[in-house]
């Protein structure tokens, strides 16, 4: 068991609020995905602090489990991995600025070339530094985010063939609707991408690594697996939407827990927390838990969320504060030090990422990535 927390020895003594990450679950989920997509390879996506699970620890674990490359969103995430000693190929999928290119090259990171102009800048910077740049070309087939439009893509492929200081290792696109029940839009995007790839056939060239599938497409669109798939949320054991077909069994790797730090009886006429939004019409027992929106427990969960204490679910009452929440246990029992499960299972009860997302009016992705670095991660 290992803990990472800002400046902490035994972080759980300093802070009873922790995120527990099951590395075994991550492995199981990775294997389940690998089995279904083979012979396509898997590039785990570890952006946004590995969806809240902890960038460096998760990356190291995945590498130890055989991952051959990783994907992140931003340069600084990739640099953090290099500084932690992660040496394998890392694709940075986000848009880049010209002045970032030398840093990419010095760290041996894989760049996304999302326009002819950016590709030229990458090639020129590689020439100036006397190195070879490694890129993946980005084709926009319908997301309208970054990448060359599919109907203009040949210019990028031709430019890539002329670059002398750049190795084109991959070519990719991204789905806007692969987690929907209706896959018409995703199929159209895939057809556009396959059409762009015809260029290689016509020029008698072998295409570089072709990839497009995020979690939704991994689950629902086998034809999109191509050479490589890019699972994010599925790897962490959460499905990307309510309607997606759950064709691969995965289980959550993350639990969020805290402990009771205060107990009191609250009587009628004495409303709870900021804004006095909740009060009881009869005496109730109330416990205070040291977690709040300053940790990423959404303020929108006020008066809506439930937590598990001693195997039972109880409501969060009053406003969520920056650092504390109050829980109404009616006339049941709880003691200082009792475990409080915000997300995860205890006894026969479970609170899922989907539950929390539903209560807060958001999606599971935001629940996970919102748990901030003030919360120590505990690897079990
Ligand atoms: C975030 C991201 C992914 C992973 O998406 P999931 O839905 O979490 O699987 C894949 N590709 C790109 C380009 C992304 O930005």
């Amino acid at each position: 068991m290992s803990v990472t927390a800002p400046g902490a020895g035994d972080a759980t003594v300093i802070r009873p609020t922790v995120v527990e990450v099951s590395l075994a679950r991550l492995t199981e989920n990775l294997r389940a995905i690998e089995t279904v997509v083979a012979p396509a390879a898997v590039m785990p996506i570890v952006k946004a602090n590995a969806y809240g699970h902890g960038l460096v620890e998760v990356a190291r674990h995945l590498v130890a489990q055989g991952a051959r490359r990783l994907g992140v969103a931003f340069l600084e995430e990739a640099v953090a991995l290099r500084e932690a000693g992660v040496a394998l190929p890392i694709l940075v999928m986000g848009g880049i600025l010209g002045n970032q290119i030398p840093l990419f090259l010095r760290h041996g990171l894989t760049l996304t070339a999302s326009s002819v102009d950016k590709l030229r800048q990458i090639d020129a910077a590689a020439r100036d530094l006397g190195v070879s740049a490694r890129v993946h070309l980005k084709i926009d087939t319908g997301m309208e985010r970054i990448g060359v439009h599919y109907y203009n893509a040949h210019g990028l492929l031709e430019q890539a063939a002329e670059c002398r200081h750049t190795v084109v290792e991959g070519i990719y696109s991204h789905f806007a609707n692969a987690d929907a029940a209706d896959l018409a839009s995703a199929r159209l995007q895939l057809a556009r991408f396959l059409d762009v790839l015809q260029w290689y056939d016509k020029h008698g060239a072998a295409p570089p690594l072709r990839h497009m599938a995020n979690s939704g497409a991994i689950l629902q669109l086998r034809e999109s697996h191509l050479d490589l798939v890019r699972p994010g949320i599925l790897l962490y054991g959460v499905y990307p939407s309510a309607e997606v077909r759950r064709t691969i069994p995965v289980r959550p790797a993350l639990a969020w827990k805290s402990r009771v730090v205060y107990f009191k009886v609250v009587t009628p006429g004495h409303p709870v927390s900021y804004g006095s939004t909740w009060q009881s019409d009869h005496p109730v027992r109330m416990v205070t838990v040291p977690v709040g929106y300053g940790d990423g427990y959404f303020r929108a969960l006020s008066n809506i969320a439930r937590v598990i204490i001693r195997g039972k679910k109880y409501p969060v009452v009053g406003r969520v504060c920056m650092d504390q929440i109050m829980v109404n246990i009616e006339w049941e029992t709880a003691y200082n030090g009792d475990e409080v499960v915000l997300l995860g299972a205890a006894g026969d009860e479970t609170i899922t990422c989907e539950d929390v997302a539903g209560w807060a009016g958001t999606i599971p992705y935001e629940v996970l990535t919102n748990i901030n670095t003030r919360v120590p991660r505990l690897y079990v």
Side-chain angles (χ1 to χ4, degrees), residues 45 47 51 93 138 145 172 174 214-215 230-234 240 365:
I45 303 302
K47 62 187 176 182
Y51 288 56
M93 301 184 295
K138 182 73 190 281
R145 194 166 65 176
Y172 74 110
H174 188 60
N214 56 3
S215 294
R230 307 192 302 265
I233 200 149
L234 194 64
Y365 290 80

Side-chain angles (χ1 to χ4, degrees), residues 151-190:
Y151 46 83
N152 286 329
H154 289 171
L156 182 66
L157 275 58
E158 277 153 21
Q159 180 66 40
E162 274 161 32
C163 286
R164 290 290 154 262
H165 308 277
T166 301
V167 176
V168 178
E169 186 197 63
I171 181 166
Y172 74 110
S173 189
H174 188 60
F175 286 110
N177 299 298
D179 60 356
D182 178 354
L183 290 172
S185 147
R187 287 187 205 287
L188 178 61
Q189 279 195 260
L190 176 60

Side-chain angles (χ1 to χ4, degrees), residues 248-265:
I248 303 177
V250 293
R251 290 186 295 171
L254 181 150
W256 192 1
K257 297 177 177 174
S258 187
R259 289 189 185 278
V260 171
V261 292
Y262 204 86
F263 174 93
K264 64 150 65 74
V265 171

Side-chain angles (χ1 to χ4, degrees), residues 24 26 35 47 95 102 162 171 209 211 277 279 298 311 320 322 345:
L26 281 181
T35 304
K47 62 187 176 182
E162 274 161 32
I171 181 166
L209 289 173
H211 53 105
T277 59
Q279 63 173 301
F298 297 110
V320 171
M322 188 185 294

Side-chain angles (χ1 to χ4, degrees), residues 69-90:
R69 44 171 51 83
L70 298 170
V72 295
F74 298 136
L75 173 59
E76 60 268 32
E77 296 174 323
V79 169
L81 288 175
R82 282 287 185 262
E83 285 172 351
V86 175
L88 44 60
I90 302 173

